[in-house]
């Protein structure tokens, strides 16, 4: 059978996972990434058991475990520090068979880039559009100031929430919607880590949230959310963030005080509130945030991208009809991921309510929720199992 070619647009988590899987099942893969180079960016990332299974399937599970902290213990607290909900890594592992893991996003990106080393990884390529045909897809891009084109049997659009490809193939779709809040993220040095920070713990206030967890090197990854208009607080520095959370329980003030000011990250949160009619248009397939961007309230964005990549790899690994395989991908991925987009948005509205009365009711519900009920409620999200694993042309050593 002639070698099949694929162009993956976007060198993030989902794009690199797809490139790793496709290149190791017989595809000739080219990755077009608009950033000038692959560089360590971001802060921490939590991978739930479904994502851990996806990485095991891709053959990088051992690498994941070497650079991560096993977690599964989770908790909710009030501003004063009172516990509303707690679970342990042992409880999650007993139910799911594997724990969750917390690691630096750059480490995840690095292990996926290594796994995709057979692919042709091209940085500095800004994709401007795609032209679909019955058997091939043309990708148009700009690199080093010059326009260019490339063609392939398959194009995987993994170019994020503000995808260029999505409006090209679904021009009637309204695009991403602002979710109603912003996020701040950062990393504090190991000296700021309290001894009793064994898991990801989130503290909730009216219209505010703050979470933190330990990384393998001892540093503390923290994230916060703030209900605010789109574009608000763009000029805020770390002192401004610390003032927002002044008076919250320890160790929040200490973690913020120890964070290097230059490491502060701020983003408006967007999601695809309007679902796409399909994740496939001819020989173009959408993956990750390009297909189903969701709010971070379930911590499932990257997890769903990894599920996408594994599913796409499995269905396109054989010599069968590509159109049928892509139809199978759409059927396997669209309902599950779009359901999670809706659940995540509803969860965010509940957690981030700015109404003090509604916030107190939220806290009461969380306090009265047994841990076993919480774990059962997450079982459907965390319980995804990958399809049968095809023979790979190479394994990660």
């Amino acid at each position: 059978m002639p070698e099949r070619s694929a162009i993956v647009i976007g060198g993030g988590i989902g794009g690199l996972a797809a490139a790793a899987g496709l290149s190791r099942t017989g595809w000739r893969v080219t990755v077009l990434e608009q950033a000038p180079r692959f560089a360590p960016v971001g802060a921490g990332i939590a991978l739930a058991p479904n994502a851990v299974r996806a990485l095991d399937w891709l053959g990088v599970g051992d690498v994941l475990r070497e650079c991560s902290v096993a977690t599964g213990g989770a908790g909710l607290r009030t501003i004063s520090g009172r516990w509303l909900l707690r679970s342990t890594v042992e409880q999650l592992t007993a139910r799911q068979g594997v724990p969750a893991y917390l690691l630096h996003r750059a480490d995840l990106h690095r292990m996926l880039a290594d796994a995709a080393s057979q692919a042709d990884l091209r940085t500095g390529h800004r994709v401007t559009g795609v032209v679909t045909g019955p058997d091939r897809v043309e990708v148009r891009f700009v690199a080093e100031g010059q326009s260019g084109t490339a063609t392939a049997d398959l194009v995987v659009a993994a170019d994020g929430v503000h995808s260029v490809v999505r409006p090209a193939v679904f021009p009637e779709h309204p695009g991403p919607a602002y979710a109603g809040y912003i996020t701040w993220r950062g990393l504090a040095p190991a000296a700021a880590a309290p001894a009793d920070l064994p898991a990801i713990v989130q503290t909730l206030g009216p219209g505010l949230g703050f979470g933190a967890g330990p990384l393998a090197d001892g540093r503390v990854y923290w994230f916060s959310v703030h209900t605010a208009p789109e574009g608000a607080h763009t000029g805020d520095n770390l002192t401004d963030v610390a003032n927002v959370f002044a008076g919250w329980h320890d160790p929040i003030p200490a973690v913020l005080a120890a964070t290097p000011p230059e490491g502060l990250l701020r983003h408006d949160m967007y999601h695809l509130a309007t679902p796409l009619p399909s994740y496939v248009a001819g020989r173009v397939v959408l993956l990750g945030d390009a297909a189903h961007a969701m709010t971070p309230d379930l911590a499932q964005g990257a997890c769903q991208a990894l599920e996408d990549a594994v599913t796409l790899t499995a269905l396109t690994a054989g010599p069968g009809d590509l159109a049928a395989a892509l139809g199978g991908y759409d059927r396997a991925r669209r309902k599950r991921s779009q359901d999670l987009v809706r659940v995540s948005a509803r969860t965010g509205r509940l957690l981030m309510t700015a109404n003090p009365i509604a916030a107190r009711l939220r806290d009461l519900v969380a306090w009265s929720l047994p841990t076993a009920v919480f774990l059962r409620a997450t079982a459907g999200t965390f319980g995804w199992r990958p399809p049968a694993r095809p023979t790979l042309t190479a394994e990660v050593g």
Side-chain angles (χ1 to χ4, degrees), residues 128-156:
T128 58
V130 297
V131 179
T132 60
D135 300 314
R136 303 280 286 176
V137 184
E138 180 183 87
V139 177
R140 297 173 177 174
F141 58 85
V142 175
E144 298 182 347
Q146 301 294 317
S147 298
T149 62
T151 60
D153 300 306
L154 172 67
V155 166
V156 180

Side-chain angles (χ1 to χ4, degrees), residues 31-83:
V31 178
L32 303 182
E33 165 58 41
Q34 72 172 2
R37 60 189 178 92
F38 288 119
V41 294
I45 186 169
L47 297 176
N50 51 316
V52 175
R53 295 188 196 97
L55 291 172
D56 282 337
W57 193 95
L58 287 169
V60 297
D62 290 344
V63 184
L64 168 70
R65 289 164 175 82
E66 289 172 0
C67 63
S68 309
V69 173
T71 184
L76 289 176
R77 303 179 78 175
T78 65
I79 292 174
S80 66
R82 181 169 64 92
W83 287 97

Side-chain angles (χ1 to χ4, degrees), residues 220-246:
V220 177
Y221 162 56
W222 64 265
F223 58 93
S224 62
V225 288
H226 185 0
T227 300
E230 185 178 10
H233 301 279
T234 54
D236 285 8
N237 57 30
L238 197 56
T239 299
D240 298 316
V241 177
N243 288 337
V244 170
F245 294 97

Side-chain angles (χ1 to χ4, degrees), residues 221-316:
Y221 162 56
W222 64 265
F223 58 93
S224 62
V225 288
H226 185 0
T227 300
E230 185 178 10
H233 301 279
T234 54
D236 285 8
N237 57 30
L238 197 56
T239 299
D240 298 316
V241 177
N243 288 337
V244 170
F245 294 97
W248 286 43
H249 68 81
D250 292 334
I252 293 172
V255 166
L256 289 172
T259 300
E262 66 276 8
L264 179 66
L265 301 173
R266 180 215 167 275
H267 296 95
D268 291 318
M269 287 290 100
Y270 298 91
H271 63 148
L272 288 191
T274 302
L276 286 167
S278 176
Y279 289 172
V280 176
R283 293 197 170 202
V284 175
V285 58
L286 301 178
L287 184 149
D289 284 351
H292 46 68
M294 60 189 68
T295 66
D297 302 285
L298 299 180
Q300 277 291 308
C303 301
Q304 291 304 299
L306 290 169
E307 287 188 17
D308 289 349
V310 164
T311 303
L312 181 65
T313 297
L315 290 173
T316 60

Side-chain angles (χ1 to χ4, degrees), residues 115-126:
S117 60
Q118 294 181 65
D120 180 8
L121 305 179
R122 302 181 186 179
T123 58
H125 282 63
R126 179 174 60 85

Side-chain angles (χ1 to χ4, degrees), residues 82-104:
R82 181 169 64 92
W83 287 97
L84 299 172
L85 177 69
R86 301 179 79 169
S87 65
T88 67
V89 63
E90 291 81 11
Q91 289 172 314
L92 180 64
T93 304
R95 183 172 288 270
Q96 292 292 335
V98 293
Y101 286 90
L102 183 63
L103 70 162
H104 196 288

Side-chain angles (χ1 to χ4, degrees), residues 160-374:
V161 60
H162 299 292
S163 169
V164 171
V165 178
R166 184 177 57 240
V169 295
F170 294 108
E172 301 302 317
H173 189 270
Y178 181 58
Y181 53 86
I182 65 172
T183 67
W184 289 298
R185 297 182 178 93
L187 294 170
D196 60 345
L197 189 66
I200 302 173
V201 178
Q202 187 169 4
T203 300
L204 300 176
L208 289 169
F210 188 97
L215 299 180
D217 61 6
R219 288 182 296 174
V220 177
Y221 162 56
W222 64 265
F223 58 93
S224 62
V225 288
H226 185 0
T227 300
E230 185 178 10
H233 301 279
T234 54
D236 285 8
N237 57 30
L238 197 56
T239 299
D240 298 316
V241 177
N243 288 337
V244 170
F245 294 97
W248 286 43
H249 68 81
D250 292 334
I252 293 172
V255 166
L256 289 172
T259 300
E262 66 276 8
L264 179 66
L265 301 173
R266 180 215 167 275
H267 296 95
D268 291 318
M269 287 290 100
Y270 298 91
H271 63 148
L272 288 191
T274 302
L276 286 167
S278 176
Y279 289 172
V280 176
R283 293 197 170 202
V284 175
V285 58
L286 301 178
L287 184 149
D289 284 351
H292 46 68
M294 60 189 68
T295 66
D297 302 285
L298 299 180
Q300 277 291 308
C303 301
Q304 291 304 299
L306 290 169
E307 287 188 17
D308 289 349
V310 164
T311 303
L312 181 65
T313 297
L315 290 173
T316 60
D321 180 68
L322 181 57
L326 297 183
Y329 169 83
D330 183 56
R331 289 189 297 274
R333 296 302 307 147
R334 184 151 49 93
K335 183 181 187 305
R336 170 170 166 79
S337 57
Q338 290 179 349
D339 284 349
L340 288 173
V341 171
R342 288 188 289 269
V343 173
S344 188
R346 288 199 300 267
T347 302
R349 288 192 292 270
L350 173 64
L351 296 180
M352 289 298 102
T353 177
N355 183 302
I357 296 176
R360 286 196 291 272
L361 179 61
R362 171 203 65 199
D363 293 351
L364 178 62
V365 171
W367 177 79
S368 62
L369 185 69
T371 301
V373 174
F374 167 74

